[in-house]
Amino acid sequence: MAHTKYGTSMRRALRREAPSTIGLLVDEQDFAAMRRYRTFTFDDHAVYLQQVEGLLKSFAAQGMHATVALFDPEDYAEFCAESGLDPDAPASRSRFTAEVAGAGATVRYSGQPLDELIPLLVTRSVRRATWEYATLLLADLGECADCGQDVGRAAFDRASHLLMRLLETAGEGTHHLVCSTPTDGEQLLAVLHTERDPKGPAGLEASQGAEFATVLAVAVALETRGGVVLRTSTPGAPDRVHGWRLTAGSLLPLTAGEVFSAYCTDADTGEPIAPESGVEYRAGFDIGADAPEAHH
């Protein structure tokens, strides 16, 4: 009996140290798609979300580390078909969740309500999907017919150089950068947040930097109408917005009027948007980036 109790106690201790991941169905449409499976027993999305939040709270109360991943029913069905798994089985859903979490598009639960966690999770998942799509685009470009250089690798190196020069010349403050570029049927968008104080370089999260540079590299490689907008905030001063267009592997400054037009136009409808108060729309500045060594 003592041995059994000791074993149970050990398993409980190990359970507290084992991380947990929940695959979350964030909207009604995805929830409805999963209801076709007999083993998925929930029939009300609101109740389902309440139960998920209760489970997360119980993990936190036990001192357990928990993360949430986005559960996409279409991706799940494809995963089961490719893996030879029965989609109508809890073990298959658990395995899929582990695969999604392994890709890195998760949010750590730290006690925040789901209505705060879900938008962050969706944003992180979209960022991850954009990065994967852009990476595949670069990989498919192959080698330059003239010099044999890997075009995607060269474009990424160039984009990384442009990003570093932009951050170095932006000065101190809290910086919000957006890079957008069109591809066939897709408008790729990357966002980067960074801060810089007078004593050192800008603090840059490696994953965000790689995602941003990859989208910028697509614009470099495909010579699309890519652009970058920088918004800088400093204490006691209006926010400043600058902009650049990507041309032949270089970021060329926009005029103040072009920055205003780009920032104050709805990208979907083309309709004007009222400018924000307390924001200055300024021309882009020279980032001091060397010209590309070669044009592919």
Side-chain angles (χ1 to χ4, degrees), residues 105-127:
T106 60
V107 173
R108 184 176 71 87
Y109 178 71
S110 57
Q112 70 272 50
L114 282 189
D115 58 2
E116 293 180 11
L117 186 149
I118 287 176
L120 182 59
L121 177 61
V122 171
T123 298
R124 191 162 295 178
S125 299
V126 169
R127 272 179 41 201

Side-chain angles (χ1 to χ4, degrees), residues 36-52:
R36 69 177 182 265
Y37 299 120
R38 178 185 55 82
T39 57
F40 185 79
T41 56
F42 289 95
D43 56 11
D44 183 279
H45 188 237
V47 172
Y48 161 81
L49 292 178
Q50 291 172 1
Q51 293 299 315
V52 168

Side-chain angles (χ1 to χ4, degrees), residues 142-151 296:
E143 297 180 349
C144 173
D146 295 328
C147 69
Q149 189 177 30
D150 186 303
V151 176
H296 298 273

Side-chain angles (χ1 to χ4, degrees), residues 231 260-266 270-279 281:
R231 180 167 179 160
F260 179 88
S261 177
Y263 214 81
C264 299
T265 301
D266 189 294
E271 294 295 320
I273 301 173
E276 294 182 58
S277 60
V279 175
Y281 301 91

